[in-house]
Amino acid sequence: MAKAKTTMNLEENVASALCYVLMWLTGIIFYFMEKENKTVRFHAMQSILTFLPLTIIGFIFGWIGAPSVGWGYGYYDVSYNPGIPALIWLSWAIYAVMFILWLVLIIKAYQGEKFKLPVVGDIAEKHA
């Protein structure tokens, strides 16, 4: 049984896995380059819808939670803005979840499984 090919002359499972390799960036690339294969377009859109918002939220929480540098009287003064440690931890938790999702989604896509995430998977399927 021959495997399905894509517009970019890759096997479907390889192209689907590549949609997740650089998270939302490769998702965007594959979404616009792949014209016909619905499975690859699904994985590309799911990658964008999953990883782009998580990246933005993780960055914002880390940025808000990080202490500001206050230089007073020649020494490092954290009392200027000590940061919010809970937001830093939340940012790290988001990145940990992203890493786990990244591994699972790459493996499932390479195995040829159309693994749909809750909410995001349904939206990705509509736009594939």
Side-chain angles (χ1 to χ4, degrees):
M1 182 170 138
K3 292 187 178 183
K5 289 286 187 178
T6 65
T7 306
M8 294 170 284
N9 203 25
L10 295 169
E11 291 182 2
E12 184 178 77
N13 67 325
V14 173
S16 296
L18 287 174
C19 290
Y20 298 106
V21 169
L22 295 178
M23 298 189 179
W24 56 269
L25 183 61
T26 47
I28 290 172
I29 292 168
F30 275 84
Y31 186 76
F32 287 111
M33 289 184 70
E34 181 56 51
K35 302 295 181 199
E36 298 171 14
N37 192 303
K38 299 282 186 199
T39 302
V40 174
R41 288 180 61 82
F42 163 78
H43 286 290
M45 183 55 75
Q46 182 166 262
S47 178
I48 296 165
L49 294 174
T50 301
F51 294 114
L52 185 58
L54 288 175
T55 300
I56 292 169
I57 292 167
F59 175 79
I60 290 171
F61 284 169
W63 181 63
I64 292 171
S68 293
V69 176
W71 296 97
Y73 306 110
Y75 63 92
Y76 179 74
D77 181 17
V78 180
S79 65
Y80 174 73
N81 179 3
I84 305 167
L87 287 181
I88 301 261
W89 284 103
L90 188 56
S91 175
W92 290 350
I94 289 170
Y95 290 132
V97 166
M98 284 176 62
F99 179 73
I100 293 166
L101 275 174
W102 179 73
L103 286 175
V104 168
L105 291 170
I106 286 176
I107 291 167
K108 295 282 190 183
Y110 187 75
Q111 291 173 343
E113 187 177 333
K114 191 174 181 179
F115 185 75
K116 279 178 37 175
L117 294 172
V119 180
V120 171
D122 293 331
I123 298 169
E125 202 166 46
K126 272 197 268 184
H127 294 286

